[in-house]
Amino acid sequence: MSTPLFAPLFQYIEANLNKKINIEDAARTIFLSPVHTTRLFSFAYGITPAEYIRRRKLSESVHLLQETDLTVLEIAIHFGFSHEQSYTRAFFSEFGITPGKYRNEHRELPILLPILDYGIPCGDNSGCLFDPKTVFLPKIRLLGIWHEIPYRNSAALAPKAALSFWENGRLQLPGGESATVFYGLTRHPAKDENDMMPARYSRYLTAIKTDANHCAAATDSFGGCPCIKFRYIGRHHYRELSQKTAQQMYRAIRKHIYSPAAIPPVDGSMHLEKIDTSEYNGNYCMMEWYAPIYV
């Protein structure tokens, strides 16, 4: 990832807004299939590449409607729409007003500018962490194994505990053999249990999701509240998340959530990692990171 993963894709889109862009050509710029491009792009940005292209075309067309004498048909053709009607339908769906009516009313419209967030590089340019979103995460009941992880060695020991659980520990749990989603829940106690000194260990639960019908067997739970959510995409297998990558990823997360100006304010006493192993496509893995928001 010496070049940010999505940079060539965005450059191609912006250079071809006045043409009909198909996802096959766009995906070719980052050497992935259309399916994998759509999956990774949607994971990072919350919309599909096709939706992003459509919204960018419509946003750029607003300027021509207000600042030129081009007809609606000419503007539609300029941005690669086959017919004036298809452009008008798309414009109305995006903005709630037809192009002709907007041209006459000079209404303020919310437009989509080019995305410039290519992710924060982590590791030796092998992964990227994307800016957070605010979501409501339904409560997840977790079944797993607790570990005490010394803070001074957390970047090295937590990934080892997670890998050991996934390769061995989960197989001993009900439903573990068929599970494809890994969860890592970290709780930060304020004090050590045996004295009043600040805690030197975090409690790390390596776990799978357990069915609500068997909640009595759950080890812990997380969610049922608003959360801040980061997304990580790595050009490696999920088993190969390096210590250096983990350190840089958590340094970037801490810098964001513990900033005095952080909005929304985040409860740093716990966080949850989620990896869906079935999403690995042979080149890229994806990880989600959640922390509760104070409300």
Side-chain angles (χ1 to χ4, degrees):
M1 278 192 180
S2 53
T3 299
L5 169 60
F6 295 111
L9 177 65
F10 285 122
Q11 291 163 3
Y12 176 82
I13 291 170
E14 291 304 310
N16 291 278
L17 283 177
N18 63 335
K19 299 174 184 174
K20 185 165 181 145
I21 302 175
N22 64 60
I23 189 61
E24 288 80 8
D25 292 336
R28 204 169 289 125
T29 65
I30 55 174
F31 306 102
L32 289 175
S33 71
V35 170
H36 289 146
T37 297
T38 297
R39 180 179 298 157
L40 291 175
F41 191 96
S42 300
F43 179 79
Y45 298 110
I47 60 173
T48 66
E51 175 70 4
Y52 175 76
I53 291 167
R54 184 187 70 83
R55 293 185 63 191
R56 281 293 300 129
K57 284 176 175 284
L58 293 169
S59 294
E60 288 297 305
S61 76
V62 167
H63 175 78
L64 295 187
L65 283 167
Q66 289 295 332
E67 303 298 330
T68 74
D69 293 326
L70 293 173
T71 66
V72 172
L73 175 59
E74 289 170 332
I75 293 173
I77 293 172
H78 176 80
F79 285 103
F81 289 87
S82 302
H83 307 283
E84 179 178 341
Q85 292 86 347
S86 58
Y87 167 67
T88 297
R89 283 195 300 269
F91 194 95
F92 184 83
S93 176
E94 179 72 11
F95 301 117
I97 189 173
T98 65
K101 189 173 182 182
Y102 168 69
R103 173 170 264 173
N104 292 329
E105 291 190 0
H106 303 278
R107 184 184 302 183
E108 179 182 298
L109 293 181
I111 62 172
L112 177 67
L113 294 176
I115 290 177
L116 299 177
D117 169 25
Y118 300 153
I120 302 168
C122 298
D124 297 317
N125 291 316
S126 62
C128 280
L129 182 74
F130 291 86
D131 282 345
K133 296 182 180 296
T134 301
V135 301
F136 185 91
L137 182 69
K139 181 173 285 188
I140 302 168
R141 290 179 171 84
L142 302 170
L143 181 64
I145 300 170
W146 283 108
H147 312 264
E148 284 195 342
I149 306 290
Y151 284 122
R152 65 180 183 275
N153 301 121
S154 60
L157 297 181
K160 288 182 180 178
L163 185 57
S164 175
F165 171 79
W166 192 251
E167 293 184 339
N168 299 296
R170 72 179 169 96
L171 303 179
Q172 313 306 316
L173 301 176
E177 190 170 352
S178 60
T180 61
V181 182
F182 165 82
Y183 294 92
L185 173 62
T186 299
R187 289 188 177 274
H188 300 284
K191 304 287 184 180
D192 277 344
E193 290 185 5
N194 299 325
D195 56 44
M196 295 304 293
M197 297 296 291
R200 293 163 291 177
Y201 295 81
S202 64
R203 300 192 70 226
Y204 183 50
L205 176 65
T206 51
I208 58 174
K209 183 178 179 181
T210 188
D211 191 278
N213 294 328
H214 302 92
C215 61
T219 312
D220 207 335
S221 63
F222 184 91
C225 61
C227 291
I228 194 168
K229 173 184 176 181
F230 288 85
R231 289 93 57 224
Y232 170 82
I233 295 178
R235 192 168 192 168
H236 52 77
H237 196 278
Y238 63 88
R239 289 189 176 94
E240 298 165 354
L241 182 66
S242 71
Q243 179 176 344
K244 183 176 181 180
T245 298
Q247 287 175 327
Q248 293 184 349
M249 179 170 58
Y250 278 96
R251 190 178 301 128
I253 291 173
R254 285 195 297 269
K255 183 178 179 181
H256 180 93
I257 67 174
Y258 294 125
S259 163
I263 300 294
V266 175
D267 176 1
S269 68
M270 70 181 89
H271 65 262
L272 182 75
E273 306 155 355
K274 175 185 175 184
I275 297 176
D276 187 341
T277 63
S278 68
E279 292 290 329
Y280 180 67
N281 72 348
N283 292 301
Y284 292 93
C285 70
M286 297 180 283
M287 185 178 87
E288 296 165 279
W289 188 100
Y290 300 86
I293 293 170
Y294 288 115
V295 292

